[in-house]
């Protein structure tokens, strides 16, 4: 499968490892506006999308679009170009990478990463937390559209 976009996302990209296939994975793919529909077609033809939904979010500050979707665990053999693995806090619609979570905890906890540190997720409502060159980036999002499959 050839899932590519023409732009490069400068965020720290997740690389495929053996433990990816253990559970459902939430992916976040950066796409250009004119490529959204084609990308969604490619994704739904290649993977079984859990929950039959793809969320397309708009990041105004960077004029970027991201598609978020859950892939069934048995189908993960490669990930599309410009795609990162993220986790989600449902109560605040916060998407984050593990690296970004560690950087956020360090920032809030005087430079110390403590797995027991409590984060007020409402401060990061409708935000994607990423790292870029080991620095925390907070990208505010809004829903552009929800695609029901």
């Amino acid at each position: 499968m050839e899932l590519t976009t023409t732009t490069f996302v400068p965020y720290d990209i997740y690389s495929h490892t053996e433990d990816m296939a253990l559970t459902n994975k939430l992916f976040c793919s950066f796409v250009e506006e004119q490529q959204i529909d084609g990308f969604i077609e490619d994704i739904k033809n290649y993977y079984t999308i859990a929950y039959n939904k793809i969320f397309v979010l708009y990041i105004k500050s960077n004029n970027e679009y991201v598609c978020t979707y859950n892939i069934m665990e048995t189908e993960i053999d490669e990930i599309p170009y410009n795609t990162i693995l993220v986790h989600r806090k449902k109560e605040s619609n916060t998407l984050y990478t593990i690296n970004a979570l560690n950087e956020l905890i360090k920032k809030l906890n005087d430079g110390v990463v403590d797995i027991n540190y409590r984060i007020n997720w409402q401060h990061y409502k409708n935000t994607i937390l990423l790292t870029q060159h080991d620095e925390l980036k907070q990208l505010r999002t809004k829903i552009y559209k929800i695609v029901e499959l």
Side-chain angles (χ1 to χ4, degrees):
M1 173 183 170
E2 182 82 21
L3 290 176
T4 63
T5 59
T6 58
T7 60
F8 173 72
V9 176
Y11 307 111
D12 296 337
I13 302 296
Y14 180 83
S15 60
H16 178 75
T17 63
E18 290 302 314
D19 70 340
M20 282 182 61
L22 297 177
T23 60
N24 264 348
K25 300 296 180 184
L26 176 58
F27 287 126
C28 179
S29 299
F30 290 79
V31 297
E32 294 179 4
E33 182 177 16
Q34 67 272 17
Q35 296 173 322
I36 293 171
D37 293 335
F39 179 81
I40 290 171
E41 276 302 308
D42 287 346
I43 289 295
K44 74 180 191 180
N45 289 331
Y46 191 74
Y47 296 112
T48 301
I49 306 297
Y51 315 113
N52 294 317
K53 289 185 183 179
I54 297 175
F55 292 83
V56 182
L57 308 175
Y58 177 64
I59 304 166
K60 184 177 181 180
S61 63
N62 297 3
N63 194 31
E64 293 179 295
Y65 293 84
V66 295
C67 296
T68 64
Y69 48 94
N70 285 283
I71 300 295
M72 301 302 290
E73 62 185 294
T74 57
E75 297 186 11
I76 302 170
D77 57 353
E78 66 177 297
I79 61 173
Y81 182 74
N82 281 348
T83 297
I84 58 175
L85 173 68
V86 293
H87 303 273
R88 178 174 173 247
K89 282 294 183 185
K90 289 182 184 181
E91 65 270 12
S92 61
N93 282 323
T94 307
L95 300 173
Y96 62 93
T97 65
I98 295 300
N99 288 344
L101 178 60
N102 287 335
E103 290 300 318
L104 178 62
I105 291 170
K106 272 198 311 194
K107 177 181 173 185
L108 298 173
N109 194 34
D110 297 323
V112 177
V113 177
D114 178 355
I115 61 171
N116 297 312
Y117 188 84
R118 307 290 263 166
I119 294 171
N120 182 345
W121 289 104
Q122 290 305 311
H123 292 161
Y124 308 97
K125 188 173 184 159
N126 299 319
T127 300
I128 301 174
L129 301 172
L130 304 169
T131 55
Q132 183 179 36
H133 308 295
D134 295 326
E135 288 187 31
L136 180 65
K137 297 293 177 189
Q138 299 177 44
L139 306 174
R140 302 280 301 165
T141 64
K142 70 178 186 173
I143 292 178
Y144 178 72
K145 68 179 174 178
I146 301 171
V147 178
E148 300 270 349
L149 306 177

